[in-house]
Amino acid sequence: MSSAQPADRYENVPTAAVYDTFAETATRLTGRYTRLSDAAPSAAEREQWWQKVLELRAAKQAVPAHDRAQLIAHIGAWEIELARLRDNRG
């Protein structure tokens, strides 16, 4: 028996539930960017993080709710970004 994950971890998950995960992941990342913006030591860094919030919102709005491939791709990318931010906390 192989311990490898399936290519699509959402294989048996309804698209509506995939969208919910997409939206929740976007919300978590938006919150992280907002906290980083609020805690930034300079106006320039604050603006940099706030631009990330705006870019994330635009990306979320651009993905059709029925496009599983895009939903899943964004979930993966956003989870990687959340992990990167968590690992770089210092």
Side-chain angles (χ1 to χ4, degrees), residues 19 22 58-67 69-72 74 78:
Y19 181 83
F22 166 84
K60 183 180 175 219
Q61 291 173 348
V63 177
H66 63 277
D67 190 332
Q70 280 196 60
L71 294 171
I72 292 167
H74 279 80
W78 293 340

Side-chain angles (χ1 to χ4, degrees), residues 2-70:
S2 174
S3 64
Q5 290 188 359
D8 179 0
R9 70 181 187 186
Y10 299 100
E11 181 177 10
N12 297 311
V13 178
T15 301
V18 174
Y19 181 83
D20 288 345
T21 301
F22 166 84
E24 175 59 28
T25 306
T27 298
R28 287 179 30 229
L29 187 52
T30 297
R32 183 72 176 127
Y33 286 156
T34 300
R35 286 189 302 278
L36 288 165
S37 177
D38 290 347
S42 69
E45 188 175 335
R46 189 169 29 258
E47 180 61 24
Q48 174 191 12
W49 289 116
W50 188 247
Q51 285 304 311
K52 291 256 193 203
V53 169
L54 299 178
E55 291 167 11
L56 180 62
R57 286 180 184 170
K60 183 180 175 219
Q61 291 173 348
V63 177
H66 63 277
D67 190 332
R68 284 180 70 87
Q70 280 196 60

Side-chain angles (χ1 to χ4, degrees), residues 32 36 45 49 80-90:
R32 183 72 176 127
L36 288 165
E45 188 175 335
W49 289 116
I80 289 168
E81 176 69 352
L82 282 162
R84 185 188 69 80
L85 292 169
R86 185 175 46 250
D87 291 346
N88 290 336
R89 272 200 292 213

